[in-house]
Amino acid sequence: MHQYALLGSGRTIHSSIQFEDWNNRVSDTAIAFGGQQRIVTPDGYSNPLDIANGLVFMNSRAFTDDEWRDLPHVVMTRDAPWNPRVHDHEASESDEWRDNQDDAPLPNGADFNAFGEYNHRTTTEVMRIAVIPAINRLPNFNNYYYPRQ
């Protein structure tokens, strides 16, 4: 790889834009969120990406003499000085960015609607019942005959 911060072995943090600048397709979204965690080269080679502590890495090591001789050589970055500012763009300040956004709401899943209301809610009606103290309705027990014991 040209103009790449590659260590001799281990994990190397990559710049998606640098790979995309050379027509690689980068999916550095975690598999847990539906991503593929890989870089696919223009030649169709797929390279896995690892995620550790929230950062995306490409595992690397020095090639062996046999690998250099027997395996294809794949160029993944431009053979020219890399200018990381070449694709700078402030989307937060861009009317064009806002105009190109879908009007469709973000997916809330099947459980919630676009307003955040739970879709499977059950409506229940509560009846109001007036409770009248029954003390005035008790029978007069003085009029009853109680046998002596």
Side-chain angles (χ1 to χ4, degrees):
M1 285 187 269
H2 307 285
Q3 302 290 313
Y4 187 74
L6 182 64
L7 303 174
S9 65
R11 296 177 171 165
T12 300
I13 299 173
H14 74 278
S15 167
S16 298
I17 291 177
Q18 185 177 11
F19 284 116
E20 291 167 342
D21 185 63
W22 191 243
N23 296 319
N24 292 284
R25 291 189 322 267
V26 179
S27 174
D28 57 3
T29 301
I31 289 173
F33 298 121
Q36 296 175 317
Q37 283 186 225
R38 68 179 186 172
I39 299 172
V40 180
T41 69
D43 301 322
Y45 294 103
S46 184
N47 299 292
L49 296 172
D50 297 333
I51 297 177
N53 295 317
L55 297 175
V56 180
F57 296 93
M58 184 164 57
N59 219 350
S60 63
R61 63 174 175 76
F63 53 83
T64 66
D65 290 339
D66 290 340
E67 289 171 332
W68 179 258
R69 185 186 65 244
D70 298 338
L71 297 176
H73 298 197
V74 179
V75 178
M76 296 183 68
T77 57
R78 227 176 254 288
D79 186 13
W82 168 244
N83 177 1
R85 293 187 189 110
V86 70
H87 297 290
D88 286 358
H89 180 75
E90 293 182 12
S92 61
E93 302 297 325
S94 171
D95 291 334
E96 180 183 346
W97 179 87
R98 279 188 285 281
D99 294 342
N100 287 322
Q101 298 306 302
D102 293 335
D103 290 333
L106 294 174
N108 292 315
D111 294 332
F112 297 92
N113 66 18
F115 302 101
E117 299 166 330
Y118 187 61
N119 287 333
H120 309 294
R121 183 174 51 181
T122 304
T123 306
T124 311
E125 290 188 30
V126 177
M127 294 178 52
R128 291 186 148 207
I129 300 174
V131 177
I132 302 170
I135 198 123
N136 293 336
R137 296 179 171 193
L138 291 175
N140 186 348
F141 291 107
N142 293 333
N143 296 335
Y144 288 91
Y145 171 75
Y146 296 102
R148 290 188 169 192
Q149 302 201 356

